[in-house]
Amino acid sequence: MTTLALIAHMPLASALSECAQHVLGQIDNYVFFDIEPDVEPENKVQEIVEKLKPMLGPDRQVLILSDLGGATPANIGARVVRELQNAGVKAHILSGTNACMLLNAVRYREQPMDQLCQSIFEGGKKGMKCVDLAPND
Protein backbone atom coordinates (compact mmCIF):
# COMPACT_ATOMS: atom_id res chain seq x y z
CA MET A 1 0.00 0.00 0.00
CA THR A 2 1.35 3.39 -0.99
CA THR A 3 1.95 5.75 1.91
CA LEU A 4 0.16 9.06 1.31
CA ALA A 5 1.00 12.57 2.46
CA LEU A 6 -0.80 15.84 1.84
CA ILE A 7 1.21 19.05 2.08
CA ALA A 8 -0.79 22.26 1.59
CA HIS A 9 -1.19 25.83 2.71
CA MET A 10 -2.76 26.14 6.16
CA PRO A 11 -5.62 25.19 6.74
CA LEU A 12 -6.23 23.35 3.44
CA ALA A 13 -4.44 20.12 4.37
CA SER A 14 -6.52 19.81 7.55
CA ALA A 15 -9.74 20.66 5.74
CA LEU A 16 -9.20 18.19 2.89
CA SER A 17 -8.18 15.51 5.39
CA GLU A 18 -11.34 16.04 7.43
CA CYS A 19 -13.39 15.79 4.23
CA ALA A 20 -11.70 12.52 3.22
CA GLN A 21 -12.16 11.04 6.69
CA HIS A 22 -15.82 12.09 6.68
CA VAL A 23 -16.35 10.17 3.42
CA LEU A 24 -14.02 7.19 3.93
CA GLY A 25 -13.49 6.91 7.69
CA GLN A 26 -10.08 6.48 9.30
CA ILE A 27 -7.23 6.55 6.77
CA ASP A 28 -4.19 4.38 7.48
CA ASN A 29 -0.67 5.20 6.29
CA TYR A 30 -1.66 8.81 5.69
CA VAL A 31 -0.35 12.04 7.13
CA PHE A 32 -1.01 15.69 6.35
CA PHE A 33 0.90 18.90 6.94
CA ASP A 34 -0.55 22.41 7.03
CA ILE A 35 2.22 24.78 5.94
CA GLU A 36 2.22 28.05 7.85
CA PRO A 37 3.28 31.32 6.20
CA ASP A 38 6.45 31.64 8.29
CA VAL A 39 7.63 28.04 7.89
CA GLU A 40 11.35 27.29 7.66
CA PRO A 41 11.31 25.00 4.59
CA GLU A 42 14.41 22.94 5.37
CA ASN A 43 13.20 22.18 8.91
CA LYS A 44 9.79 21.15 7.55
CA VAL A 45 11.41 18.90 4.91
CA GLN A 46 13.31 17.03 7.63
CA GLU A 47 10.20 16.80 9.84
CA ILE A 48 8.16 15.30 6.99
CA VAL A 49 10.89 12.83 5.95
CA GLU A 50 11.26 11.64 9.55
CA LYS A 51 7.48 11.23 9.85
CA LEU A 52 7.19 9.28 6.58
CA LYS A 53 10.09 6.83 6.91
CA PRO A 54 8.55 4.70 9.70
CA MET A 55 5.23 4.64 7.83
CA LEU A 56 6.69 2.91 4.76
CA GLY A 57 5.18 -0.41 3.81
CA PRO A 58 7.00 -3.29 2.11
CA ASP A 59 6.55 -1.61 -1.29
CA ARG A 60 8.50 1.46 -0.04
CA GLN A 61 6.29 3.88 -1.99
CA VAL A 62 5.21 7.39 -1.04
CA LEU A 63 2.88 9.68 -2.92
CA ILE A 64 2.74 13.31 -1.86
CA LEU A 65 -0.18 15.51 -2.84
CA SER A 66 0.13 19.28 -2.75
CA ASP A 67 -2.16 22.20 -3.45
CA LEU A 68 -0.33 24.66 -5.72
CA GLY A 69 2.58 23.67 -7.94
CA GLY A 70 5.50 26.07 -7.51
CA ALA A 71 4.30 27.33 -4.12
CA THR A 72 6.05 26.68 -0.80
CA PRO A 73 4.13 23.48 0.12
CA ALA A 74 4.86 21.90 -3.28
CA ASN A 75 8.49 22.98 -3.13
CA ILE A 76 8.81 21.40 0.32
CA GLY A 77 7.14 18.27 -1.04
CA ALA A 78 9.51 18.12 -4.01
CA ARG A 79 12.47 18.27 -1.64
CA VAL A 80 10.94 15.50 0.49
CA VAL A 81 10.54 13.38 -2.66
CA ARG A 82 14.18 13.93 -3.58
CA GLU A 83 15.36 12.92 -0.08
CA LEU A 84 13.17 9.82 -0.09
CA GLN A 85 14.33 8.83 -3.57
CA ASN A 86 17.95 9.22 -2.44
CA ALA A 87 17.11 6.78 0.38
CA GLY A 88 15.77 4.19 -2.09
CA VAL A 89 12.07 5.01 -1.71
CA LYS A 90 9.85 5.24 -4.78
CA ALA A 91 8.31 8.69 -4.30
CA HIS A 92 6.30 11.12 -6.41
CA ILE A 93 4.49 14.41 -5.89
CA LEU A 94 1.32 15.66 -7.60
CA SER A 95 0.05 19.23 -7.35
CA GLY A 96 -3.34 20.85 -7.82
CA THR A 97 -4.96 18.57 -5.27
CA ASN A 98 -8.68 18.80 -4.72
CA ALA A 99 -11.02 16.65 -2.61
CA CYS A 100 -11.72 14.20 -5.45
CA MET A 101 -8.01 13.65 -6.01
CA LEU A 102 -7.43 12.90 -2.33
CA LEU A 103 -10.36 10.47 -2.26
CA ASN A 104 -9.03 8.63 -5.31
CA ALA A 105 -5.53 8.52 -3.82
CA VAL A 106 -6.93 6.71 -0.79
CA ARG A 107 -9.30 4.46 -2.75
CA TYR A 108 -6.78 3.30 -5.34
CA ARG A 109 -3.52 3.30 -3.37
CA GLU A 110 -3.03 -0.44 -3.99
CA GLN A 111 -2.48 0.26 -7.70
CA PRO A 112 1.04 0.54 -9.14
CA MET A 113 2.34 4.11 -8.81
CA ASP A 114 1.89 5.13 -12.47
CA GLN A 115 -1.67 3.80 -12.55
CA LEU A 116 -2.41 5.39 -9.16
CA CYS A 117 -1.30 8.79 -10.45
CA GLN A 118 -3.57 8.42 -13.49
CA SER A 119 -6.53 7.42 -11.29
CA ILE A 120 -5.92 10.47 -9.10
CA PHE A 121 -5.78 12.86 -12.07
CA GLU A 122 -8.92 11.33 -13.59
CA GLY A 123 -10.80 11.72 -10.31
CA GLY A 124 -9.71 15.33 -10.01
CA LYS A 125 -10.90 16.15 -13.52
CA LYS A 126 -14.21 14.29 -13.15
CA GLY A 127 -14.93 16.19 -9.95
CA MET A 128 -14.79 19.56 -11.72
CA LYS A 129 -18.26 20.28 -13.13
CA CYS A 130 -20.84 22.98 -13.38
CA VAL A 131 -23.53 21.75 -11.00
CA ASP A 132 -25.84 24.75 -10.83
CA LEU A 133 -29.53 24.21 -11.29
CA ALA A 134 -30.21 27.44 -13.16
CA PRO A 135 -31.54 27.07 -16.71
CA ASN A 136 -29.29 28.23 -19.51
CA ASP A 137 -30.57 31.44 -21.03
Side-chain angles (χ1 to χ4, degrees), residues 7 33 35 39-52 72-73 75-84:
I7 305 172
F33 299 90
I35 303 302
V39 70
E40 174 53 49
E42 193 53 43
N43 291 342
K44 189 55 84 169
V45 168
Q46 293 310 313
E47 175 190 336
I48 295 171
V49 168
E50 293 308 311
K51 182 78 171 183
L52 288 171
T72 301
N75 292 337
I76 288 170
R79 290 164 68 181
V80 169
V81 164
R82 187 177 329 122
E83 291 220 11
L84 291 171

Side-chain angles (χ1 to χ4, degrees), residues 10-132:
M10 177 183 261
L12 189 54
S14 295
L16 286 172
S17 294
E18 287 180 23
C19 175
Q21 290 176 3
H22 174 79
V23 173
L24 301 172
Q26 180 63 35
I27 302 170
D28 296 327
N29 272 23
Y30 169 74
V31 65
F32 65 91
F33 299 90
D34 282 310
I35 303 302
E36 299 176 356
D38 61 349
V39 70
E40 174 53 49
E42 193 53 43
N43 291 342
K44 189 55 84 169
V45 168
Q46 293 310 313
E47 175 190 336
I48 295 171
V49 168
E50 293 308 311
K51 182 78 171 183
L52 288 171
K53 281 184 177 178
M55 296 174 64
L56 292 173
D59 59 0
R60 297 185 52 79
Q61 290 192 149
V62 173
L63 181 61
I64 296 175
L65 303 172
S66 186
D67 54 351
L68 297 172
T72 301
N75 292 337
I76 288 170
R79 290 164 68 181
V80 169
V81 164
R82 187 177 329 122
E83 291 220 11
L84 291 171
Q85 288 173 341
N86 289 341
V89 176
K90 184 173 186 175
H92 290 289
I93 181 169
L94 306 179
S95 68
T97 300
N98 60 32
C100 294
M101 290 174 69
L102 179 57
L103 292 172
N104 273 14
V106 175
R107 283 185 184 126
Y108 301 115
R109 65 197 306 186
E110 298 291 343
Q111 294 178 340
M113 184 68 82
D114 292 341
Q115 188 177 352
L116 173 59
C117 291
Q118 286 302 313
S119 295
I120 292 168
F121 284 134
E122 287 172 17
K125 289 178 204 171
K126 286 180 182 177
M128 293 184 280
K129 306 175 184 189
C130 179
V131 294
D132 63 33

